[in-house]
Amino acid sequence: MKKFKFASLVLAPLFAVLAACGGGGGDDKAATPSTPSTATLSSITVTTPDNATTIAIGAPSKTLIATGSYSDGSKKALTAAGGLVWGPVSSNVLQIATNGAVTAKGVGTETVTATVDKVVGSLAITVTASWMNVSTGGYQTVARKADGNLYSWGSNIKGQLGDSSTVDRNAPVLVAGSGGSWKQVAVGDQFAVAVRTDGTLWAWGYNQDGQLGDGTQVNRTVPTQIGTAKDWSVVAAGKAHALALKTNGNLYAWGRNDKGQLGDATLTGNRAAPTKIGALFWSAIAAGDSHSLAIQKDTNDMYGWGGNLYGQVGNASRTDVPAPVKIGTQKYTSVSAGAFHSVAITTSGTLYAWGQNSHRQLGNNTTTDLLAPALIGTDSNWSQVAAGAQHTLGLRNDGTLWSWGANTEGQLGTGGTDAGVPQQVGTGSNWKSVAAGMAHSFGLKSDDTLWGWGRDLEGQVGNGQNPPYVAVPVNVPN
């Protein structure tokens, strides 16, 4: 019998196992797997959640989105944790947080950048300011935006737009020296007066009768400060005279005084600087063509004075009134003076009107002048009223807009003819303020959009066109 060596039988399978496992002195380098290549960032795209590249001052911030594109075709969102840096660090237009949230600061356009290492993406963001209030008079319009700046448009033959020129404008232009600090503005026939947030008083435009209050008869094409006082609160402008209240309720007047519209107890003698009127304290004022109205503080009594040919003062006569006289017994919260008619809202929300009614601007469906306040309709939900030359606008508590009177130039906004009683303008219920000029009108909606209609030959509607008139409200972009 042949004899076998046991050791050789055991080692043979062992070497086979080692070979299969790569052992036994094989080539280590050849057996190691290769390292995969790394994708690199090639570009960055910046977008907004709503795909809109505008943001209004006062609106909620927008959080921008940065998306990276890589060399292998993949995409992924970029974050600060991954090295994303937003810019610019400092800007007068907007503020940007580390997470990409942008907040509007000032009107303008700024390019936002998103950077990772040396790869940069960008997006231009435009900041706008919403309209806050509007004033109309004569053939021009002035409105204030949320950033505190004033913008004007329309007739400018006497520099009443305040843009340092005498060129008519059919779209809003910045009032010179605005500086974002205006509080309130009133527009007369060819001039404007305004109060800044620091309580100073300013005026510009036509000054033949001293209506600018700067002690001269020199026209001004840019805002000019009136005196040095810093306690002015509210202003009102008529055809060629102005009224103003101080913070304590004292009343001052200046400009033309041929009908006693200044209330200083005379029927002659223009005033080229603010003159204190009486000793009463007031909460609201209004100025018409040649008459003035005011509501007494605390008592809510109505007073009137000035030109009274059509009974617009409201004291049951047609004789001019040189000093404030109490009108009736009703209690009022707001008042507006048209050219030769007056309208006011009582503390109970009812509407009263008096004065000229040749175009049914009083709203009682007649053409008879009223020499004292008369109730118009039976509704008690009026919240605001504005009187133009021969038309009237009103708002109700439900946000609906109404108009009546002359409509020869589309100033009622209904697209129809003259109206003897209040008629609703459109079907909207989101109106929050109104203003009436010579033959044009404006309304501000609750979404802060501005709408104009009526005569537009001088560009006073402000939508960049000059048709003879605009029959229904059109938007004025911000």
Side-chain angles (χ1 to χ4, degrees), residues 262-326:
L262 299 189
D264 65 352
T266 71
L267 291 173
T268 59
N270 297 344
R271 306 288 184 178
T275 302
K276 189 173 182 294
I277 306 300
L280 296 178
F281 298 99
W282 310 92
S283 61
I285 50 178
D289 184 284
S290 62
H291 74 293
S292 303
L293 302 164
I295 297 174
Q296 188 180 356
K297 193 175 182 180
D298 300 325
T299 68
N300 292 110
D301 290 325
M302 178 74 68
Y303 283 71
W305 61 96
N308 200 24
L309 179 62
Y310 303 97
Q312 61 264 43
V313 169
N315 67 336
S317 80
R318 291 182 183 270
T319 303
D320 294 346
V321 180
V325 294
K326 188 174 178 236

Side-chain angles (χ1 to χ4, degrees), residues 10-23:
V10 173
L11 290 174
L14 179 60
F15 281 114
V17 171
L18 290 173
C21 293

Side-chain angles (χ1 to χ4, degrees), residues 165-200:
S165 80
T166 55
V167 178
D168 291 356
R169 309 289 186 176
N170 62 13
V173 293
L174 184 67
V175 172
S178 278
S181 63
W182 295 103
K183 176 184 176 183
Q184 188 245 334
V185 62
V187 181
D189 187 18
Q190 294 177 328
F191 74 105
V193 290
V195 177
R196 287 190 183 270
T197 53
D198 64 359
T200 55

Side-chain angles (χ1 to χ4, degrees), residues 143-460:
R144 186 175 69 89
K145 285 190 174 184
D147 61 356
N149 283 315
L150 289 180
Y151 290 79
S152 59
W153 55 97
S155 175
N156 198 26
I157 58 175
K158 301 296 183 180
Q160 60 262 44
L161 298 188
D163 68 341
S164 75
S165 80
T166 55
V167 178
D168 291 356
R169 309 289 186 176
N170 62 13
V173 293
L174 184 67
V175 172
S178 278
S181 63
W182 295 103
K183 176 184 176 183
Q184 188 245 334
V185 62
V187 181
D189 187 18
Q190 294 177 328
F191 74 105
V193 290
V195 177
R196 287 190 183 270
T197 53
D198 64 359
T200 55
L201 181 65
W202 300 71
W204 58 97
Y206 196 35
N207 199 24
Q208 182 180 18
D209 297 296
Q211 56 262 58
L212 299 191
D214 65 351
T216 76
Q217 290 180 292
V218 178
N219 297 344
R220 308 289 184 180
T221 60
V222 297
T224 301
Q225 187 171 353
I226 310 306
T228 59
K230 293 187 176 182
D231 58 346
W232 297 102
S233 176
V234 178
V235 289
K239 182 178 179 63
H241 75 289
L243 308 174
L245 294 181
K246 291 206 169 183
T247 53
N248 64 359
N250 281 334
L251 173 65
Y252 287 74
W254 62 95
R256 185 184 296 174
N257 196 37
D258 60 325
K259 303 293 183 181
Q261 54 263 58
L262 299 189
D264 65 352
T266 71
L267 291 173
T268 59
N270 297 344
R271 306 288 184 178
T275 302
K276 189 173 182 294
I277 306 300
L280 296 178
F281 298 99
W282 310 92
S283 61
I285 50 178
D289 184 284
S290 62
H291 74 293
S292 303
L293 302 164
I295 297 174
Q296 188 180 356
K297 193 175 182 180
D298 300 325
T299 68
N300 292 110
D301 290 325
M302 178 74 68
Y303 283 71
W305 61 96
N308 200 24
L309 179 62
Y310 303 97
Q312 61 264 43
V313 169
N315 67 336
S317 80
R318 291 182 183 270
T319 303
D320 294 346
V321 180
V325 294
K326 188 174 178 236
I327 307 301
T329 60
Q330 292 290 334
K331 305 295 184 179
Y332 296 91
T333 59
S334 63
V335 62
S336 180
F340 303 109
H341 74 291
S342 308
V343 286
I345 298 173
T346 67
T347 53
S348 60
T350 54
L351 180 66
Y352 280 72
W354 59 100
Q356 188 186 56
N357 200 24
S358 57
H359 289 76
R360 300 186 291 171
Q361 58 262 52
L362 299 187
N364 64 351
N365 208 26
T366 76
T367 56
T368 302
D369 296 346
L370 296 177
L371 307 186
L375 179 65
I376 305 302
T378 59
D379 296 297
S380 59
N381 62 343
W382 294 100
S383 61
Q384 190 180 142
V385 67
Q390 296 173 333
H391 75 292
T392 309
L393 308 172
L395 291 184
R396 291 185 174 172
N397 293 332
D398 60 4
T400 56
L401 172 62
W402 301 75
S403 63
W404 56 98
N407 198 34
T408 53
E409 297 187 89
Q411 57 264 55
L412 298 188
T414 59
T417 58
D418 294 0
V421 295
Q423 293 187 343
Q424 187 172 354
V425 180
T427 59
S429 58
N430 62 338
W431 297 95
K432 70 176 184 179
S433 68
V434 287
M438 184 76 72
H440 71 293
S441 307
F442 267 90
L444 191 65
K445 291 187 177 182
S446 56
D447 62 0
D448 296 327
T449 56
L450 186 62
W451 300 77
W453 59 96
R455 180 184 174 100
D456 198 24
L457 282 173
E458 293 78 20
Q460 56 264 58

Side-chain angles (χ1 to χ4, degrees), residues 26-92:
D27 189 345
D28 292 339
K29 189 174 183 179
T32 302
S34 61
T35 301
S37 60
T38 301
T40 58
L41 179 64
S42 55
S43 64
I44 298 174
T45 302
V46 180
T47 57
T48 63
D50 57 1
N51 293 320
T53 57
T54 60
I55 183 172
I57 292 174
S61 62
K62 288 176 183 267
T63 300
L64 303 182
I65 302 166
T67 304
S69 296
Y70 291 82
S71 57
D72 62 357
S74 63
K75 297 178 182 292
K76 74 171 184 178
L78 303 176
T79 65
L84 175 65
V85 177
W86 292 98
V89 175
S90 178
S91 169
N92 293 325

